């Protein structure tokens, strides 16, 4: 029997501090071969979310990563934001780097229901997270839960590695093989529509639609904004 490649958070447990330190010193991640001319780095995603959801909005970074730097940034911009991550080391690094948000970050497994009430959040981030979750959990629990906790009109920002099956590549930055669960873009969009969300369209030069780019490995990603239908 062929063993399923490991897509668990074990890599992040080993490298949480290094990830957090890199994010602290270099807040912008370059995107290559973008399908949208403005999709040049992760900073433009935050700018777009702040256009879609005004300051003061309540939000969740689901899979906030080592250091929870996005949680800290949104909090600095006046958002009532929290972060969860399945890797305890990532949360410990967040509290070490950003003690001001220590009470806003916690450990949570995204393959089980979220501890948030229905329709309680104005926005949710889930960036490069479902690629570490088995499809039955990501499609059956994680994404439905994010849709559930959004208020009508709330916005989900979702980023994932696109394709079919599981891909294993060599990560040159850490000199290690890494495996990722891939998801077809059309399947994700169809699921979100079924959950009552619709894609935020591109308007002029503003980000919108299902946008594609590659990273340094290189692997193709999709990133999108989806708004929950008004009641």
């Amino acid at each position: 029997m062929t063993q399923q490649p490991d897509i668990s958070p074990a890599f992040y447990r080993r490298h949480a501090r290094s990830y957090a330190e890199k994010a602290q010193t270099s807040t912008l991640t370059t995107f290559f071969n973008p399908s949208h001319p403005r999709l040049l780095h992760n900073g433009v995603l935050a700018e777009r979310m702040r256009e879609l959801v005004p300051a003061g909005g309540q939000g969740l970074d689901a899979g906030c990563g080592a250091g929870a730097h996005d949680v800290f940034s949104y909090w600095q911009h006046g958002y009532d934001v929290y972060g969860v991550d399945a890797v305890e080391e990532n949360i410990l690094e967040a509290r070490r780097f950003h003690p001001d948000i220590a009470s806003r970050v916690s450990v949570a497994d995204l393959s089980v229901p979220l501890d948030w009430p229905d329709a309680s959040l104005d926005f949710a981030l889930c960036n490069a997270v479902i690629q570490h979750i088995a499809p039955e959990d990501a499609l059956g629990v994680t994404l439905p839960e994010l849709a559930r906790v959004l208020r009508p009109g709330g916005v989900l920002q979702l980023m994932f590695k696109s394709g079919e099956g599981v891909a294993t590549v060599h990560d040159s930055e850490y000199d290690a093989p890494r495996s990722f669960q891939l998801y077809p873009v059309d399947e994700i969009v169809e699921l979100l529509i079924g959950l009552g969300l619709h894609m935020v369209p591109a308007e002029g030069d503003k980000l919108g639609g299902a946008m594609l780019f590659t990273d340094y490995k290189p692997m193709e990603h999709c990133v999108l904004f989806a708004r929950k239908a008004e009641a």
Side-chain angles (χ1 to χ4, degrees):
M1 179 181 295
T2 302
Q3 185 176 5
Q4 178 76 0
D6 180 19
I7 60 168
S8 74
F11 177 88
Y12 295 96
R13 294 191 179 99
R14 293 194 299 273
H15 298 290
R17 178 152 299 187
S18 176
Y19 258 81
E21 288 173 347
K22 285 184 178 181
Q24 181 78 359
T25 57
S26 179
T27 57
L28 295 182
T29 300
T30 301
F31 297 157
F32 302 98
N33 308 309
S35 63
H36 190 289
R38 290 198 63 238
L39 188 64
L40 301 177
H41 51 73
N42 59 321
V44 298
L45 297 175
E47 291 172 6
R48 182 61 170 141
M49 181 61 89
R50 292 197 296 267
E51 291 173 348
L52 296 168
V53 179
Q58 295 179 304
L60 172 68
D61 187 350
C64 58
H69 295 293
D70 283 344
V71 177
F72 183 67
S73 177
Y74 276 91
W75 176 76
Q76 285 186 309
H77 280 87
Y79 290 85
D80 183 14
V81 61
Y82 293 82
V84 297
D85 198 281
V87 179
E88 182 179 10
E89 289 83 351
N90 286 349
I91 297 302
L92 292 175
E93 291 302 319
R95 291 171 176 165
R96 182 171 76 93
F97 274 101
H98 304 301
D100 288 339
I101 60 165
S103 64
R104 292 178 171 270
V105 293
S106 58
V107 178
D109 183 352
L110 294 174
S111 66
V112 300
L114 293 167
D115 189 22
W116 261 267
D118 293 356
S120 57
L121 299 174
D122 298 301
F123 70 100
L125 313 174
C126 190
N127 292 324
V129 175
I130 62 171
Q131 62 205 35
H132 304 297
I133 301 176
E136 59 268 25
D137 294 326
L139 305 181
V141 180
T142 308
L143 295 182
E145 278 294 288
L146 291 173
R148 177 186 67 81
V149 300
L150 283 176
R151 296 186 175 108
V155 178
L156 168 67
Q157 178 187 310
L158 178 66
M159 182 193 297
F160 56 94
K161 285 182 167 60
S162 58
E164 300 271 359
V166 174
T168 300
V169 298
H170 184 78
D171 188 331
S172 59
E173 283 197 358
Y174 290 89
D175 192 24
R178 301 182 62 188
S179 294
F180 304 96
Q181 179 66 52
L182 310 182
Y183 292 89
V185 175
D186 291 346
E187 180 180 350
I188 295 296
V189 170
E190 182 178 355
L191 175 66
L192 294 178
I193 291 172
L195 294 170
L197 285 76
H198 59 270
M199 299 303 103
V200 173
E203 300 172 340
D205 66 346
K206 295 184 182 299
L207 300 181
M211 300 168 286
L212 303 176
F213 67 91
T214 56
D215 65 6
Y216 68 89
K217 294 181 186 62
M219 297 188 76
E220 186 174 78
H221 293 64
C222 176
V223 61
L224 56 84
F225 296 91
R227 190 182 291 279
K228 190 170 183 178
E230 296 286 352

